[in-house]
Amino acid sequence: MAEGGTTQALILAGGAGTRLRPVLTELNKPMAPVADRPFLEYLLLQLKKHGVEAVTLCVGYKADLIQSYFGTGEPWGLRLSYSHETDFLGTGGAIKRAESLIQAECFFVLNGDSLFDSDLRTLMRCHRETNALATLALAYVEDTRRYGAVGVDAAGRVVSFVEKGKGHAQGLINAGVYVFSRELLDLIPDRQAVSLEHDILPRLIGRGLYGLPSHGYFVDIGVPDDYLGLRSNPSHLLSAVE
């Protein structure tokens, strides 16, 4: 899939998952079990399915659980590296901390607590064809108010972000899957807590920020009801990585 080198991805897997504590007492959120596998494993399987070869796991809280389970990634046919944050850096800060491990000119970033069954090859191709700085995978959902909505124009340019709890019910959301060009790293301050969603992406409107809508399966395990629902019926998740 990559042009001129290995296809790389970062997975943001450093969160503590405090909202899941009532149902996930000993583990961190990326290691939440679903059908006898950690949720994070499904993200790795998805990346492998779409031709990604090298993955950096941005870890923090209980990082040892992740590293001892996944190791170098050899059993999954992947090359895994780890970027450790000792202080909370937010989603943007975690990406900046991993900068030295990123060799690709364009790379994927995935949230570690959600999965979107979208075509990553198409996402990368659209990113390159538009010469974008950042391209977001956008999911259609029945109620955007929990996540916040994203507006795009006919050319796929992102034109607006609507905060959580506002806007219309049905529409597009940021599905937590991105392609970034390496130049984006220059816009993230070093060694600071930075939110990708609040501090970086809104500033990119009109500066090469695109979105690619898709009707693929989307799941977020950030709250107990959704996580328990996925555990009781993982069929869509399993089919997404086959």
Side-chain angles (χ1 to χ4, degrees), residues 6 33 85 108 180 182 205 228:
T6 297
E85 58 179 281
F108 293 105
F180 291 153
R182 191 175 178 84
I205 292 176
L228 294 175

Side-chain angles (χ1 to χ4, degrees), residues 211-225:
L212 181 64
S214 172
H215 286 278
Y217 168 73
F218 172 77
V219 63
D220 181 338
I221 64 165
V223 297
D225 285 350

Side-chain angles (χ1 to χ4, degrees), residues 10 51 55 91 94 125 152 201 223 232 238:
L10 270 63
V55 181
T91 49
R125 185 172 64 252
V152 293
L201 294 179
V223 297
S232 66
L238 296 173

Side-chain angles (χ1 to χ4, degrees), residues 34-35 37 42 49 217 230 234-242:
V34 180
R37 286 175 170 172
Y42 295 100
K49 172 183 173 181
Y217 168 73
L230 177 63
S235 59
H236 291 297
L237 178 65
L238 296 173
S239 64
V241 300
E242 289 178 350

